[in-house]
Amino acid sequence: MRLATAANEAYTTSLTVSELLGCKQCGGGRVQDEELGIKIPRPLGHGPSRFIPEKEILQVGSEDTQMHALFADSFAALGRLDNITLVMVFHPQYLESFLKTQHYLLQMDGPLPLHYRHYIGIMAAARHQCSYLVNLHVNDFLHVGGDPKWLNGLENAPQKLQNLGELNKVLAHRPWLITKEHIEGLLKAEEHSWSLAELVHAVVLLTHYHSLASFTFGCGISPEIHCDGGHTFRPPSVSNYCICDITNGNHNVDEMQVNSAGNISVSESFFEVEALMEKMKQLQECRDEEEASQEEMASRFEIEKRESMCVFSSDDEEVTPARDVSRHFEDTSYGYKDFSRHGMHVPTFRVQDYCWEDHGYSLVNRLYPDVGQLIDEKFHIAYNLTYNTMAMHKDVDTSMLRRAIWNYIHCMFGIRYDDYDYGEINQLLDRSFKVYIKTVVCTPEKVTKRMYDSFWRQFKHSEKVHVNLLLIEARMQAELLYALRAITRYMT
Amino acid sequence: MEKMSRVTTALGGSALTGRTMNCHLDAPANAISVCRDAAQVVVAGRSIFKIYAIEEEQFVEKLNLRVGRKPSLNLSCADVVWHQMDENLLATAATNGVVVTWNLGRPSRNKQDQLFTEHKRTVNKVCFHPTEAHVLLSGSQDGFMKCFDLRRKDSVSTFSGQSESVRDVQFSIRDYFTFASTFENGNVQLWDIRRPDRCERMFTAHNGPVFCCDWHPEDRGWLATGGRDKMVKVWDMTTPRAKEMHCVQTIASVARVKWRPECRHHLATCSMMVDHNIYVWDVRRPFVPAAMFEEHRDVTTGIAWRHPHDPCFLLSGSKDSTLCQHLFRDASQPVERANPEGLCYGLFGDVAFAAKESLVAAESGRKPYAGDRRHPIFFKRKLDPAEPFSGLASSALSVFETESGGGSMSWFVDTAERYALAGRPLAELCDHNAKVARELGRNQVAQTWTMLRIIYCSPGLVPSASLNHSVGKGSSCGLPLMNSFNLKDMAPGLGSETRLDRSKGDTRSDTVLLDSSATLITNEDNEETEGSDVPADYLLGDVEGEEDELYPLDPEHVHPEEPEYVLPQEAFPLRHEILDTPSGPEHLQDKADSPHVSGSEADAASLAPVDSFSLLSISHALYDSRLPTDFFSVLVCDMLRFYAEQGDVQMAVSVLIVLGERVRKDIDEQTQEHWYTSYIDLLQRFCLWNVSNEVVKLSTSRAVSCLNQASTTLHVNCSNCKRPMSSRGWVCDRCHRCASMCAVCHHVVKGLFVWCQGCSHGGHLQHIMKWLEGSSHCPAGCGHLCEYS
């Protein structure tokens, strides 16, 4: 089951990065037992994430009781403690809700058979060429008795799942194009038709895995050791670069900054945080005095929407997806396109007319009981999660910053909040941060360690993971809103 | 002045007039509000803000308040309210957080009066004080409620909801200083307008957001709330603790709730999603709406009673861009379509049944039992003027006595348990079932089975000769024939592994040996009409005697009525219990279920090249002169319907299963499904779980066969701390102990756990069974003489 070529590619790119960094050799590594002639796999990479140094991440065994219970639950539900869990445990409160939802979606009573659920997960993750998730779910898929033939490509799966391919594609890249005709096409396809309940289950799974793929790339999750790309049989050698070099580079603040983002001094990056704090304070204070006119407010949204497409990093080269992963979906060229660049006018989605709390929740809960509740909780936790810290500062009210991030992501999908001044986004989110957000949300497969490192340099890793949680939940909600609105329109 | 006079007439008792009507708006409405003269209504939405006059026959647009060239977000209204004291004063809540007041008395085209931009987020609700001319209250998504005095430029006081979004605010109609607010987290707060520092009272009313609330117009302290949890609750706020008095369960989240004027217990609701109707409920009868308005094609977003003292006129605005006036007399009343009936069992099996008299009279021709004594009793109830349903109170009551013995259903249970439905050739099944029926004294049924056997299995006299013929002639076929027999009978004996292998072999057609055997077996099971001669031949021919011996040889070929299953429970995850039971009918069913039904056609085709045997028998079939079985299928279907009509759905389903493909296509899916579900229901009432599960598995209808696939989760509690074990069945999260240990092998039991009800020790099913063969004492050593039934 060689599906992880994409991951290997990712490795090659990161290895080149490590070359740039002037890698020092790494010590350690397992001794190969040559006497017996057995190849012993050696873990590639150290720790669950390529972006976050291993020692920053909680070690299994040193967790407190709450985390321990979480780990135990996760292990029991999945039969493993995957790297996603290990990274997310920075935020145990969220992790708990996340695991509960995922467990319910994949294993509890629901309209779709188990192997369908994993297959849909594979389809969704493959859209973003996320070999990590594809590998995990290929295993699960086979484990629950899925037909291995299906894995040869979507065309080998039942017609019913093939029909879902189109929705998967649109949902992942241009959710605003979903119409009730898409829904109708799925629900009225003779013997291959979906029921409404099944469709809602599928939509929730698709959005869940699209955003999880964002998280995987956004935090640089390393492949699991049992998957391809997670281990090597190569003996450790002094001349070879090892992934740990990159993480080592992280500890040395000066070196990292010099290398990854040009010549920015420590003090400068220190001021970054100060400046951000200052801006937040200003916005808070001057809010009441300054009265932006209506047109200005409207145009600010448009500007932000338009600008959000320009923030793409310059190296916008077309990555052709690895064949192995791409066989799970068709039309590999179909990617995220910004509205205006594409030359068409997409009507703005007003959240006041269709929002998750009032409309989406009721629809999901009606067709797939209890899931609405679980997702609702997850959104709430992600949106409201705060430790009132910012880098080295304590007792900061970060609600403004979190709202800016959330609304910026929705803005990229054309979702507008009437009661939000989009000028704030420009003040609070600097360019490198926007590039990161944009990449993680829209084209997660292009995230590099450089991007991860170059935003918010003074912030802790846990805070960057926190940002990622906001990103994936906002993305999931945006996709869900479009899909559910189409379903609602179909129903009325 | 003209308006004023109209109002006085309305109040003076001369009723409003009008009809059910609607008018198309240009855009979806978000909210509506009625002027106090009951002659005008304002409609507000994202891109609409208009005043309509309500005339006798139609709505007439009076005023468009959206003026100016550029669209402004200040005009995108989430809510609108018309002052109930001053017909010139309106207030709107904008989605961008602005509260706007409008003065219709202004001479210019632009009627906008004041603009309050104090809220940071969408304002969900505005509300005027019912008696005070200048007091306006607003509730916003940012978690604040603000009270404005319209004579001043900014708010008088701010009430904080602790950063929970406010969904609704309503001034109490009776208490001058009180208002209620509802929140997204399910709370309801009561405030005194003079004390902005903290709320007077707070309680949790709903699970999830509370979208709306409404004070009762007459009863002081009655507050109705509606939430996303699909409930409408009526609270009594006069007591020190808010007391829930009524609860109405609707079918969708409740967006608006409005008390009906002049009807103490009535309220109208509309929903935010999915459901487009407006319901009027009597809170004392929470299950059936008193009235229902079905005009809208999209969700209703605003409702308002036209006049505070007239219960007949309801106005509504909707996302489908229409404004409607509903008349109560035109409402559909679900209660009228419902037939109130009561049914109760007596101690000795008597049944009392009460129904509306007219219904009983209409059906007097159908007296189910001869021994019924019927007492029509007319209930006289005290007429309650507020109770609109009193008209239905006359009803007839019948009591049915059970005849001793006659009503017993033991024949049903016996039949269900003893019938064989699958796992043997058709002829044998029919014979067996006929015998069962005869023994139970049901001769007609027995006769039916015999006839079925004759119709479908009897090859006439020709085949018995033909088999001899074929055996004698083509000795070459002897070997494959023997092979196939052996394989067939051994396979189940070898347990599940072999079975799996074999079923794999079935799908592959390259192994000749396996293929030939598979062909025979599937033929036999599925009994294609054309191919059925083959197995029938050998069954009725000389092999028949042998057949009886062959079955007992098979150790695991357990018939469904024999309870000793040997369950290899450890080998498989329990979810997929289909794989678990290696009983006779089961493995055959496996085939009938999945790929093999479809595979059987292919097999029939591959039958030819196997050997001379099949060729021969086919050629015999060709000049067999008996009638094709298709000829009878109409008759058989009629017969099945007859039994089902008679109430013997057991017979109908049993024949359906036994005959399988032969008749299935002639009876429509729905009828079949209906029979299956009725039979399964009956079986479950008699606790015949095994039989019912077998029927479910044997059914071909998709809707039925998925019945035993759902809710396969079994919830268990920890034997130690008595808490539910959420994630795993064998180890407790809380006390970290393994809950169920086998008393024999001292390992954790992860599959089936059997225990003695006397001493509560137990373990793996197989271990306990083995143990009890040698000893009758408890394996745990507690000295108890264990009993397992």
Side-chain angles (χ1 to χ4, degrees):
Chain A
M1 201 69 42
R2 288 191 57 83
L3 290 163
T5 17
N8 292 339
E9 270 186 17
Y11 269 99
T12 17
T13 48
S14 46
L15 281 173
T16 39
V17 173
S18 73
E19 270 169 306
L20 282 175
L21 287 171
C23 167
K24 283 163 254 163
Q25 39 77 307
C26 77
R30 307 289 141 84
V31 186
Q32 198 175 7
D33 199 338
E34 280 171 2
E35 285 169 33
L36 289 172
I38 302 167
K39 281 189 173 181
I40 296 175
R42 204 167 51 85
L44 250 182
H46 288 225
S49 164
R50 286 178 283 124
F51 295 172
I52 307 166
E54 193 177 8
K55 65 177 177 184
E56 296 265 335
I57 292 175
L58 183 89
Q59 300 297 312
V60 179
S62 66
E63 67 271 10
D64 61 20
T65 43
Q66 188 201 357
M67 292 178 186
H68 182 80
L70 275 174
F71 281 162
D73 277 342
S74 165
F75 187 78
L78 302 164
R80 59 175 174 257
L81 203 53
D82 57 13
N83 288 340
I84 291 186
T85 310
L86 288 171
V87 173
M88 270 190 195
V89 84
F90 273 123
H91 307 282
Q93 196 194 357
Y94 173 84
L95 178 63
E96 185 178 5
S97 167
F98 173 85
L99 289 174
K100 208 161 77 180
T101 312
Q102 183 165 275
H103 181 239
Y104 195 92
L105 286 178
L106 290 177
Q107 274 147 328
M108 302 298 273
D109 277 355
L112 288 174
L114 293 179
H115 60 288
Y116 266 53
R117 305 182 191 188
H118 288 291
Y119 196 78
I120 291 171
I122 295 171
M123 281 169 70
R127 252 330 319 164
H128 285 306
Q129 299 139 45
C130 181
S131 51
Y132 173 82
L133 289 173
V134 169
N135 277 334
L136 283 190
H137 285 281
V138 161
N139 288 343
D140 288 345
F141 173 75
L142 295 173
H143 183 71
V144 296
D147 184 350
K149 268 190 245 142
W150 296 10
L151 295 174
N152 293 333
L154 193 56
E155 64 273 13
N156 297 311
Q159 185 63 36
K160 191 168 164 176
L161 283 169
Q162 291 184 33
N163 290 349
L164 197 65
E166 174 70 13
L167 185 71
N168 179 24
K169 188 171 76 177
V170 183
L171 203 56
H173 304 295
R174 300 171 208 172
W176 54 89
L177 292 182
I178 295 176
T179 59
K180 73 173 183 187
E181 282 72 30
H182 284 114
I183 306 298
E184 199 168 347
L186 287 170
L187 295 178
K188 291 187 178 157
E190 306 290 312
E191 73 266 40
H192 306 298
S193 54
W194 291 74
S195 74
L196 265 175
E198 287 172 333
L199 184 64
V200 167
H201 193 172
V203 162
V204 173
L205 279 171
L206 286 176
T207 52
H208 179 82
Y209 279 101
H210 289 155
S211 42
L212 201 54
S214 283
F215 183 83
T216 311
F217 286 111
C219 292
I221 302 292
S222 318
E224 299 290 334
I225 184 161
H226 65 272
C227 294
D228 267 3
H231 56 263
T232 179
F233 293 107
R234 222 171 37 174
S237 108
V238 181
S239 58
N240 272 328
Y241 297 111
C242 184
I243 212 71
C244 67
D245 299 322
I246 303 165
T247 51
N248 281 342
N250 244 357
H251 308 312
N252 192 333
V253 174
D254 294 54
E255 184 189 317
M256 179 201 76
Q257 278 159 358
V258 169
N259 285 308
S260 60
N263 294 311
I264 298 170
S265 66
V266 189
S267 55
E268 208 171 315
S269 73
F270 177 78
F271 285 134
E272 237 176 21
V273 185
E274 298 293 305
L276 186 56
M277 300 263 302
E278 192 56 38
K279 268 181 198 157
M280 280 171 65
K281 207 187 237 171
Q282 263 174 18
L283 279 173
Q284 209 117 43
E285 282 162 359
C286 72
R287 221 185 212 170
D288 296 346
E289 311 154 19
E290 168 235 14
E291 242 346 291
S293 75
Q294 290 308 311
E295 310 91 80
E296 200 184 325
M297 296 289 260
S299 69
R300 276 181 192 169
F301 173 73
E302 292 302 326
I303 290 169
E304 207 54 54
K305 202 162 85 174
R306 210 170 315 123
E307 268 184 4
S308 70
M309 77 193 143
C310 306
V311 295
F312 253 135
S313 50
S314 49
D315 51 336
D316 205 2
E317 85 284 15
E318 281 304 310
V319 182
T320 39
R323 233 184 60 87
D324 275 343
V325 177
S326 70
R327 66 188 180 198
H328 293 295
F329 59 93
E330 64 230 329
D331 197 359
T332 50
S333 60
Y334 195 95
Y336 175 87
K337 287 279 166 8
D338 299 280
F339 336 154
S340 355
R341 183 202 275 177
H342 208 60
M344 56 178 137
H345 181 71
V346 180
T348 302
F349 185 115
R350 306 267 187 168
V351 90
Q352 264 77 7
D353 290 346
Y354 197 98
C355 64
W356 164 257
E357 283 81 12
D358 295 2
H359 306 95
Y361 170 90
S362 303
L363 185 64
V364 172
N365 235 20
R366 185 186 185 87
L367 295 169
Y368 186 12
D370 300 340
V371 163
Q373 192 64 44
L374 289 170
I375 304 178
D376 193 42
E377 260 175 48
K378 192 155 68 88
F379 286 150
H380 259 272
I381 292 174
Y383 191 84
N384 294 324
L385 187 70
T386 182
Y387 307 97
N388 292 320
T389 56
M390 266 176 75
M392 49 293 211
H393 299 274
K394 287 203 167 71
D395 296 325
V396 193
D397 179 12
T398 56
S399 59
M400 186 184 274
L401 192 57
R402 284 181 282 127
R403 195 171 165 214
I405 297 172
W406 185 278
N407 287 359
Y408 179 63
I409 295 154
H410 278 189
C411 172
M412 287 190 302
F413 287 101
I415 298 174
R416 177 173 179 193
Y417 290 80
D418 280 346
D419 52 2
Y420 188 68
D421 175 8
Y422 285 85
E424 277 183 34
I425 288 178
N426 244 348
Q427 309 242 4
L428 296 176
L429 314 183
D430 60 11
R431 203 187 132 76
S432 57
F433 188 30
K434 278 185 180 172
V435 169
Y436 179 76
I437 294 180
K438 173 86 176 174
T439 319
V440 169
V441 171
C442 299
T443 50
E445 59 276 10
K446 290 181 187 157
V447 175
T448 60
K449 179 162 166 61
R450 184 197 296 260
M451 287 183 194
Y452 177 84
D453 287 333
S454 63
F455 83 94
W456 279 13
R457 280 178 293 268
Q458 281 296 306
F459 284 76
K460 298 189 203 87
H461 286 291
S462 76
E463 286 168 318
K464 291 193 173 184
V465 173
H466 184 176
V467 167
N468 267 290
L469 298 182
L470 270 177
L471 301 191
I472 64 168
E473 289 305 324
R475 173 177 186 194
M476 180 169 177
Q477 193 178 78
E479 286 186 14
L480 267 181
L481 280 176
Y482 277 110
L484 294 174
R485 187 177 66 163
I487 294 177
T488 309
R489 285 190 175 158
Y490 167 79
M491 286 167 76
T492 53
Chain B
M1 273 289 86
E2 186 202 5
K3 274 181 211 156
M4 288 304 290
S5 67
R6 263 226 220 124
V7 173
T8 43
T9 52
L11 287 171
S14 74
L16 295 165
T17 52
R19 61 182 187 94
T20 298
M21 57 189 181
N22 62 52
C23 107
H24 185 77
L25 312 169
D26 309 320
N30 274 348
I32 64 170
S33 184
V34 190
C35 178
R36 69 162 178 169
D37 64 6
Q40 295 174 84
V41 58
V42 58
V43 184
R46 172 169 292 284
S47 49
I48 183 173
F49 189 23
K50 284 180 179 172
I51 291 177
Y52 284 87
I54 311 163
E55 299 193 344
E56 201 85 342
E57 292 292 313
Q58 61 191 345
F59 291 102
V60 176
E61 184 179 327
K62 255 191 93 189
L63 190 62
N64 187 356
L65 289 156
R66 276 177 82 88
V67 289
R69 281 159 284 109
K70 47 186 194 284
S72 162
L73 271 184
N74 290 350
L75 289 172
S76 131
C77 307
D79 191 32
V80 64
V81 63
W82 206 319
H83 203 298
Q84 289 307 300
M85 299 299 291
D86 180 352
E87 64 260 30
N88 278 332
L89 195 54
L90 285 107
T92 55
T95 49
N96 64 349
V98 178
V99 176
V100 194
T101 59
W102 307 79
N103 186 354
L104 300 182
R106 278 169 71 121
S108 71
R109 261 186 77 232
N110 189 354
K111 310 285 186 194
Q112 186 172 323
D113 197 22
Q114 288 202 63
L115 212 65
F116 302 100
T117 51
E118 291 184 29
H119 284 295
K120 295 192 187 89
R121 308 210 34 195
T122 301
V123 178
N124 286 319
K125 201 80 187 176
V126 280
C127 175
F128 278 115
H129 195 278
T131 48
E132 213 38 63
H134 302 287
V135 179
L136 175 67
L137 190 66
S138 66
S140 157
Q141 200 74 17
D142 62 9
F144 291 104
M145 294 144 277
K146 284 177 189 287
C147 182
F148 303 97
D149 188 323
L150 301 186
R151 290 163 296 196
R152 287 169 54 169
K153 283 262 169 276
D154 45 11
S155 62
V156 185
S157 42
T158 301
F159 310 87
S160 167
Q162 254 69 52
S163 72
E164 263 310 319
S165 299
V166 186
R167 296 310 296 244
D168 199 358
V169 282
Q170 291 290 339
F171 273 112
S172 164
I173 293 163
R174 299 273 145 183
D175 295 310
Y176 187 88
F177 294 112
T178 310
F179 73 87
S181 55
T182 70
F183 293 87
E184 226 158 56
N185 61 356
N187 284 350
V188 171
Q189 293 183 348
L190 233 57
W191 291 84
D192 188 315
I193 199 100
R194 296 161 297 185
R195 295 195 53 186
D197 52 330
R198 54 183 213 83
C199 65
E200 299 278 286
R201 185 189 288 181
M202 181 167 92
F203 61 95
T204 303
H206 290 266
N207 183 13
V210 191
F211 287 138
C212 54
C213 65
D214 196 33
W215 289 95
H216 197 282
E218 281 135 41
D219 274 298
R220 171 186 296 241
W222 276 27
L223 181 72
T225 58
R228 193 172 70 179
D229 57 359
K230 307 179 190 174
M231 309 254 222
V232 180
K233 291 180 179 175
V234 179
W235 304 88
D236 185 359
M237 309 292 260
T238 51
T239 49
R241 264 180 78 89
K243 197 174 83 197
E244 185 185 322
M245 299 168 68
H246 301 284
C247 177
V248 178
Q249 175 86 50
T250 69
I251 58 166
S253 58
V254 182
R256 310 263 184 216
V257 54
K258 283 272 182 284
W259 287 100
R260 186 176 175 202
E262 312 282 309
C263 292
R264 192 159 177 259
H265 291 100
H266 282 202
L267 47 79
T269 65
C270 66
S271 155
M272 193 167 266
M273 274 296 284
V274 193
D275 184 23
H276 309 158
N277 300 340
I278 303 166
Y279 301 100
V280 177
W281 301 88
D282 185 310
V283 289
R284 294 161 304 178
R285 296 183 64 116
F287 304 109
V288 189
M292 204 161 103
F293 300 102
E294 300 164 304
E295 276 84 359
H296 287 299
R297 299 272 72 86
D298 201 341
V299 283
T300 311
T301 46
I303 48 176
W305 294 94
R306 188 168 156 194
H307 190 274
H309 293 290
D310 189 312
C312 293
F313 292 86
L314 180 70
L315 298 164
S316 68
S318 156
K319 278 250 156 89
D320 64 1
S321 308
T322 53
L323 174 68
C324 266
Q325 171 168 277
H326 311 276
L327 247 66
F328 213 76
R329 61 161 192 269
D330 294 334
S332 71
Q333 302 194 345
V335 177
E336 280 185 354
R337 277 178 269 149
N339 294 320
E341 287 172 345
L343 183 74
C344 189
Y345 277 104
L347 184 60
F348 301 104
D350 301 359
V351 182
F353 173 68
K356 216 162 109 184
E357 209 186 348
S358 54
L359 285 175
V360 179
E363 290 179 21
S364 57
R366 271 177 61 176
K367 289 192 176 181
Y369 292 101
D372 96 54
R373 38 185 174 99
R374 186 169 270 188
H375 305 284
I377 297 170
F378 296 93
F379 289 106
K380 274 264 194 271
R381 288 205 304 192
K382 227 185 264 174
L383 286 178
D384 177 3
E387 176 65 84
F389 309 106
S390 53
L392 301 180
S394 80
S395 58
L397 176 73
S398 341
V399 177
F400 302 103
E401 277 183 333
T402 49
E403 278 176 65
S404 55
S408 144
M409 291 287 279
S410 61
W411 61 269
F412 177 86
V413 180
D414 275 1
T415 320
E417 282 177 345
R418 293 175 55 190
Y419 265 180
L421 299 178
R424 297 193 233 170
L426 176 65
E428 240 180 76
L429 290 176
C430 289
D431 281 345
H432 175 91
N433 293 346
K435 197 167 136 243
V436 170
R438 204 170 297 120
E439 279 168 14
L440 291 167
R442 305 172 69 215
N443 284 322
Q444 194 192 0
V445 175
Q447 202 63 34
T448 312
W449 281 114
T450 318
M451 277 155 68
L452 285 174
R453 178 179 173 278
I454 293 168
I455 293 172
Y456 286 99
C457 312
S458 154
L461 293 168
V462 191
S464 67
S466 88
L467 188 77
N468 292 336
H469 186 62
S470 69
V471 171
K473 249 191 176 175
S475 59
S476 63
C477 74
L479 189 63
L481 197 69
M482 282 316 290
N483 266 346
S484 66
F485 281 167
N486 290 344
L487 263 176
K488 173 190 177 294
D489 293 315
M490 279 161 64
L494 291 174
S496 53
E497 255 188 338
T498 338
R499 245 178 31 237
L500 281 173
D501 282 350
R502 213 205 27 196
S503 62
K504 262 182 222 153
D506 279 358
T507 47
R508 271 201 322 259
S509 56
D510 45 2
T511 39
V512 179
L513 193 66
L514 276 175
D515 186 42
S516 69
S517 73
T519 309
L520 275 170
I521 293 165
T522 38
N523 260 343
E524 193 178 293
D525 301 330
N526 294 306
E527 282 136 344
E528 300 258 312
T529 329
E530 322 85 56
S532 66
D533 296 46
V534 183
D537 280 352
Y538 92 76
L539 284 173
L540 296 173
D542 50 346
V543 213
E544 198 176 10
E546 210 182 308
E547 186 69 20
D548 286 336
E549 293 163 24
L550 277 171
Y551 274 101
L553 278 178
D554 177 3
E556 286 199 46
H557 198 105
V558 191
H559 293 189
E561 61 264 31
E562 290 167 341
E564 305 101 355
Y565 291 105
V566 180
L567 301 175
Q569 71 276 22
E570 297 270 353
F572 299 95
L574 271 180
R575 271 188 98 87
H576 304 285
E577 45 100 42
I578 283 184
L579 288 172
D580 284 351
T581 16
S583 66
E586 158 60 20
H587 89 271
L588 293 166
Q589 192 272 333
D590 262 357
K591 284 198 212 143
D593 225 23
S594 50
H596 303 280
V597 171
S598 55
S600 65
E601 281 102 6
D603 285 341
S606 70
L607 202 111
V610 172
D611 49 39
S612 58
F613 170 70
S614 50
L615 279 175
L616 269 174
S617 54
I618 283 174
S619 64
H620 276 291
L622 282 179
Y623 55 76
D624 186 358
S625 61
R626 69 199 163 86
L627 289 162
T629 47
D630 274 355
F631 177 80
F632 296 104
S633 64
V634 181
L635 217 61
V636 172
C637 292
D638 280 348
M639 184 268 292
L640 290 186
R641 289 204 185 89
F642 167 76
Y643 275 112
E645 283 290 299
Q646 290 274 300
D648 188 1
V649 75
Q650 180 178 48
M651 183 66 187
V653 172
S654 305
V655 172
L656 200 60
I657 292 174
V658 168
L659 292 184
E661 280 302 322
R662 291 181 196 80
V663 287
R664 202 178 296 137
K665 55 182 182 299
D666 297 317
I667 301 169
D668 67 292
E669 278 279 318
Q670 249 178 338
T671 318
Q672 286 190 34
E673 204 178 305
H674 182 65
W675 290 351
Y676 273 119
T677 45
S678 332
Y679 187 38
I680 289 162
D681 187 42
L682 271 175
L683 288 172
Q684 290 179 344
R685 271 163 204 261
F686 284 101
C687 301
L688 296 164
W689 312 112
N690 290 346
V691 185
S692 104
N693 200 34
E694 198 197 337
V695 170
V696 170
K697 280 195 287 188
L698 289 173
S699 77
T700 47
S701 152
R702 263 189 74 201
V704 177
S705 54
C706 70
L707 278 180
N708 62 1
Q709 305 294 311
S711 300
T712 48
T713 318
L714 192 69
H715 298 281
V716 283
N717 284 7
C718 173
S719 59
N720 224 6
C721 62
K722 308 286 182 285
R723 299 294 180 79
M725 298 201 283
S726 50
S727 43
R728 289 133 294 174
W730 59 88
V731 60
C732 178
D733 291 336
R734 288 168 204 278
C735 50
H736 302 286
R737 286 174 64 162
C738 291
S740 39
M741 308 285 275
C742 176
V744 180
C745 68
H746 299 288
H747 282 112
V748 184
V749 186
K750 293 182 180 173
L752 285 185
F753 185 77
V754 62
W755 70 95
C756 167
Q757 293 183 339
C759 64
S760 74
H761 291 115
H764 294 102
L765 180 60
Q766 275 167 316
H767 292 165
I768 296 291
M769 277 170 75
K770 208 177 276 172
W771 176 271
L772 287 175
E773 281 168 15
S775 163
S776 59
H777 284 274
C778 178
C782 67
H784 186 257
L785 279 168
C786 290
E787 276 184 72
Y788 292 91
S789 51

